[in-house]
Amino acid sequence: MSEPPARLPLEWIAASLKRERTRAGLSLSELAKRAGIAKSTLSQLEAASGNPNVETLWALAVALGVPFSALVEPPVPSVQVIRAGEGPAVAAAHADFVATLLSASPPSARRDIYRLSAEPGAARVSEPHIPGTVEHLIVSSGRVKAGPAGEEAELGPGDYMTYRGDVPHSYEALEPGTTFVLVMQHT
């Protein structure tokens, strides 16, 4: 039995939310309204006392007009190695799906790289990301059904696909131990 992934330090998320909300010039109430979450939930997250899931953080990122990684990225040293099973991970609320941020987009580029693991069961349904987002997916192990709603494709080890990420899309593991790399390109 494997250990659950490490949780993101709440302090990273709290500091990132405050920074991005301040940059956007939004009040707690306005950001909560735009993201479709309770003001109390946002207040708890900014106080580093909430328990965020992927869906809540994505909604906040979209409402702020920033990549998801802007809310979860840790301070990065000049050389960084992330061992398998390590790294900042966030679990989905309604699917056996975990996203581990491998590389956030530096200021000179607009892309994020994730290692994802998923188990058969409920699909991870994703709302549209910020306009212009393109996703690139490469399967490492297992099988996954992924893509925009109505255009999903089944992929196996070594398969690659790309699609718009600014439309509703999903990921569904078809075999136990499914892993894949996801590059989110923000244009």
Side-chain angles (χ1 to χ4, degrees):
M1 177 183 264
S2 63
E3 291 186 31
R7 301 279 308 164
L8 282 170
L10 293 176
E11 294 77 23
W12 292 353
I13 294 169
S16 297
L17 278 171
K18 288 177 195 172
R19 178 190 69 231
E20 296 301 331
R21 184 175 61 78
T22 300
R23 282 185 189 163
L26 298 174
S27 67
L28 277 170
S29 297
E30 182 60 24
L31 177 56
K33 179 180 171 186
R34 289 183 184 188
I37 65 170
K39 180 181 173 185
S40 60
T41 298
L42 179 56
S43 180
Q44 288 175 346
L45 291 176
E46 284 200 5
S49 62
N51 186 18
N53 60 41
V54 169
E55 293 80 6
T56 299
L57 293 176
W58 276 115
L60 287 164
V62 169
L64 288 164
V66 300
F68 175 79
S69 62
L71 301 183
V72 298
E73 63 188 340
V76 180
S78 60
V79 174
Q80 182 178 18
V81 175
I82 300 175
R83 304 280 180 211
E86 296 180 350
V90 180
H94 303 293
D96 192 352
F97 179 93
V98 177
T100 302
L101 178 66
L102 299 178
S103 175
S105 180
S108 61
R110 294 185 50 97
R111 61 94 190 111
D112 303 320
I113 304 171
Y114 297 90
R115 180 184 66 239
L116 302 167
S117 62
E119 295 297 327
R124 162 67 176 109
V125 177
S126 182
E127 295 297 320
H129 305 310
I130 59 177
T133 299
V134 175
E135 294 193 359
H136 303 267
L137 188 150
I138 304 165
V139 178
S140 304
S141 63
R143 294 191 61 73
V144 66
K145 181 178 177 183
E151 299 180 75
E152 297 90 348
E154 289 188 22
L155 306 168
D159 289 348
Y160 163 83
M161 77 180 297
T162 186
Y163 51 89
R164 290 181 51 195
D166 58 1
V167 298
H169 55 282
S170 65
Y171 320 91
E172 180 182 1
L174 302 176
E175 292 180 6
T178 296
T179 60
F180 50 101
V181 173
L182 181 69
V183 177
M184 294 185 73
Q185 173 185 332
H186 309 287
T187 58

